[in-house]
Every structure is written in structure tokens, then in C-alpha cells.
Amino acid sequence: MQWSDLIGHQQQFEWFNTAIASNRLASSFLFVGPDGIGKRTFARLLAKSLLCQHGGGESMRPCGVCEDCAQVDARTHPDLVEVAKPADKAFIPIELLIGEREKRMREGLCHDISLRPFSGRRKVAILDDADALNTEGANSLLKTLEEPPPDSLLILIGTSLQRQLPTIRSRCQAIIFRPLSADQMTTLLMRSQTVAGEEDALRLAMISGGSLTEARLLADPDLINFRGSMLGYLAASKIPMAEFTKSCSGMIDAVGKDGKLRRERMKLLLRMAAAFYRGLAIRQHAGAGTSSQEVSQFTLQDDPELTRAIGRAIQHWKYGAQAATRCWLRCLTAIEEVDRNANQAALLECLAADLAQASGC
């Protein structure tokens, strides 16, 4: 893959291009933004640019044909270290960062990035799922972040600054990645053959929040129909709690008994609810004096179904922006509780009751 294949993030590209050309590239970066918008792809293309034999690490123009470029694409380059949270873990195991107890600092990311570059140019490490760093894991990175090895680059990837521990935020240069536009998403969906036609791609693009990951999950027609039902429940003057929990439980049960799939499905449903209350809070703030230009930056107009649901809720919502914000935050908290393996049935019932109470039901 080359930079010409990347959709979006031109501003971030230009920033790194200037930093590399002027030899002012920092050693530690924190890439933050929603899942599925290209942060990991950007990080690997940056690594390819720095490790390319012909580019010499001095430009953002990797040749794409040399041995180094081929090894980066195959994820086998000896100077590229990649670490991610295992699917069956709630946090990144400290062993992946500093090695097993009997081999501390003799293996793991911090050890590997400290080694002399095999190519003689640079070592690059990409730490995915930085949201899943616990205090012990974050602390194990401190020495590497504070005293980076010569000619090294460490990229941490997360979803938001707020989810990063202060010890990480204060030691990395943050690069913010924005969701993709509906047009960019449509192009990606057509390219990846996620949908059959452009009309379906456009619809998915409008409801996915600029995330390719979310769009692929929502490509299931049953989920599309469920989303309409959920928005109807949340926009009602009184949330039908029993129907809400039963409907959500049915969609989770539809994926079977696999724990990982059930957690992913539940988090998807919670993100649907969170998007509704986020939009409702924005509209409430707009009613309190926020300009239309400020509201438009949140691109609610890209999702007509969500916009209509919020419009219906506005007609009877009497509880202000603070109540809508509390509901939004409650949904986000529920997502974190899913990651901590909370009982799903109990979580849904508590969530429905909390949302109903916050909305005056």
C-alpha cells in the first residue's frame, strides 16, 4: 500500500512530510481518533516511509518495491515492532511490553525498540489499542518515552485523549484523526467490496460515523432494521424499557454464544444509543445559543435517520442539554463495562432504567 491509496488525513500527511523534511520528527506520538478511520494504516505507511531503502527515511515517498517496503507490507521487517492487545484480554499484558518476569527488559516492545536498527537507519514501534493500557503497562513504557533510544519512533494508537492515562498523554505528541466524510467512506466501501452497489455504500457511509469498521458491522440488514427500531425507542416520549432490553438482547443472542462476538455486538448497540444522545445534546446546546455553523461541524446532516430521530425527541424533550449529556456518558460507561465483562443482561436492564430516569420517565 502507498500513500496514494490512503483515503483522507491529508493534513496529517502534510504535517509529517514537513517534520521529516526539516529533520524535526519527534520520537513518540499518540494517534487518536475513532476506530476504523485509517490510523493504523497511516502508522504503517509512516513506518514504510522511514524504513524505505530508496527514501532513506528523509521523505514521505516510499518506493514500494524495495525489500524494506515489501517487509513492512508483510509485517516482517526486523526494524518494525508491532504490539496489540490480544483478543481474549481486557488489557495489554505487560509481558508484551517488557517481557516475561524472568526475562524483564530482555524481550518485549521496550527491549526490541532499543536494539540497533538492522538496516542502520531507524527502529519503529507501533502499539495498537493504547486505550487498553492499564497503570502497570503505562508505567512500564515511561523510561522508553522519557529516554527514547536514538533513531527510534514509537507510535501509540487509541480512540481518544480522554481514555489515555496522564503518564502517556504528557509524554507523547498527540495527532488527532477525524472521521472520514460520507464521500470518502463510500469510496472505501466500494473499493473493499463491502456492499454490492453505490447506493448501499452511501447509506452505510452516512450511518457509520466515518468509520470503516463500523460500516462493515452495520452491513448486516438485520442490524440496519434494528437501528431504526432503537432510534424509535430512544426518541419516544417515554422509553419502553421492556421492549428496549428485549430487542437488544435478541440482537446479541443472534450472534451465538461466542463471548467475543457477543461483546462486540453489544458495544455496537451501545454506540448506536450513544450517537443518539450525543446528537440530542448538541441540538439542545444549539437551542441554548450555539450557532448553526458550530452544530454543522458534528455532521449530523450526514445521517438522515439519526437526524430525524433527534428531531422527534426534541419535540418533547424537557430536560435540557445536561440530561442528554448524562445519557450519552451513561452509554459510554456501559461500553467500558462490557470490556470489563459485566453481566450483559443486568447491564442492559440497568442502562434502560438509567436512561428512562434521566429522561423523566
Side-chain angles (χ1 to χ4, degrees):
M1 186 175 189
Q2 293 292 83
W3 286 110
S4 57
D5 299 315
L6 183 71
I7 302 294
H9 314 310
Q10 185 63 31
Q11 183 179 5
Q12 289 80 358
F13 173 86
E14 295 296 342
W15 189 92
F16 275 101
N17 192 38
T18 300
I20 291 174
S22 60
N23 197 28
R24 294 181 178 179
L25 189 66
S27 59
S28 303
F29 290 94
L30 176 60
F31 288 5
V32 292
D35 275 332
I37 61 173
K39 303 186 301 297
R40 297 163 188 79
T41 300
F42 192 103
R44 291 189 184 117
L45 284 171
L46 179 58
K48 183 189 285 191
S49 300
L50 295 172
L51 298 173
C52 174
Q53 290 178 9
H54 298 150
E58 298 175 356
S59 74
M60 294 280 276
R61 294 187 295 274
C63 68
V65 296
C66 69
E67 183 179 2
D68 286 290
C69 287
Q71 287 180 323
V72 171
D73 285 337
R75 302 175 69 176
T76 58
H77 199 290
D79 291 333
L80 175 59
V81 182
E82 294 193 66
V83 170
K85 180 182 73 67
D88 61 342
K89 301 291 185 182
F91 298 101
I92 297 176
I94 194 169
E95 291 77 14
L96 296 179
L97 305 175
I98 57 176
E100 299 286 347
R101 185 173 299 277
E102 63 275 9
K103 296 182 180 180
R104 286 288 156 88
M105 298 311 300
R106 287 182 289 150
E107 60 181 24
L109 181 147
C110 294
H111 168 266
D112 294 345
I113 197 176
S114 70
L115 299 176
R116 185 189 301 272
F118 182 83
S119 64
R121 287 187 293 275
R122 194 184 289 266
K123 296 285 287 191
V124 180
I126 300 173
L127 176 62
D128 207 347
D129 300 314
D131 295 358
L133 279 171
N134 58 16
T135 302
E136 184 184 24
N139 288 340
S140 73
L141 292 174
L142 292 186
K143 183 174 177 59
T144 300
L145 292 173
E146 293 172 346
E147 302 176 18
D151 300 318
S152 68
L153 177 68
L154 175 58
I155 302 171
L156 284 71
I157 300 175
T159 57
S160 71
L161 287 173
Q162 292 72 24
R163 296 194 67 178
Q164 312 309 314
L165 293 167
T167 50
I168 296 296
R169 289 200 306 266
S170 63
R171 290 167 174 81
C172 296
Q173 185 162 350
I175 305 295
I176 309 299
F177 287 77
R178 304 297 181 189
L180 301 174
S181 69
D183 288 341
Q184 291 169 334
M185 281 295 304
T186 301
T187 300
L188 271 177
L189 290 167
M190 292 297 292
R191 178 192 292 178
S192 63
Q193 299 182 336
T194 301
V195 293
E198 187 171 354
E199 184 177 345
D200 292 336
L202 181 59
R203 185 183 182 191
L204 274 181
M206 289 190 296
I207 68 175
S208 61
S211 166
L212 183 60
T213 300
E214 201 82 351
R216 285 171 171 165
L217 292 172
L218 288 168
D220 183 343
D222 290 339
L223 274 173
I224 295 290
N225 294 332
F226 169 82
R227 184 176 185 267
S229 299
M230 171 179 273
L231 292 176
Y233 295 147
L234 300 178
S237 58
K238 183 177 181 179
I239 296 177
M241 291 189 291
E243 294 179 37
F244 175 81
T245 54
K246 182 179 179 180
S247 182
C248 289
S249 296
M251 288 305 300
I252 296 169
D253 290 341
V255 301
K257 296 183 179 181
D258 183 274
K260 181 177 183 295
L261 293 178
R262 290 177 67 86
R263 288 192 297 273
E264 289 303 316
R265 173 60 62 89
M266 186 165 183
K267 288 194 291 184
L268 175 62
L269 305 188
L270 292 171
R271 287 195 295 271
M272 292 179 186
F276 170 82
Y277 285 112
R278 175 180 180 271
L280 183 60
I282 292 169
R283 287 288 299 273
Q284 287 289 315
H285 279 296
T290 305
S291 70
S292 58
Q293 183 177 4
E294 289 174 312
V295 174
S296 68
Q297 69 178 308
F298 294 95
T299 63
L300 288 175
Q301 69 275 11
D302 282 350
D303 188 343
E305 188 174 30
L306 178 61
T307 302
R308 288 193 296 269
I310 292 170
R312 293 195 301 272
I314 286 289
Q315 296 176 12
H316 57 75
W317 187 268
K318 304 174 183 178
Y319 317 104
Q322 288 187 346
T325 301
R326 284 196 298 271
C327 291
W328 174 32
L329 295 177
R330 179 65 183 90
C331 294
L332 297 181
T333 300
I335 293 173
E336 295 178 356
E337 291 170 346
V338 173
D339 285 330
R340 293 196 291 269
N341 292 319
N343 181 279
Q344 294 180 358
L347 178 56
L348 278 174
E349 291 178 2
C350 290
L351 175 67
D354 290 344
L355 295 179
Q357 182 178 23
S359 57
C361 297

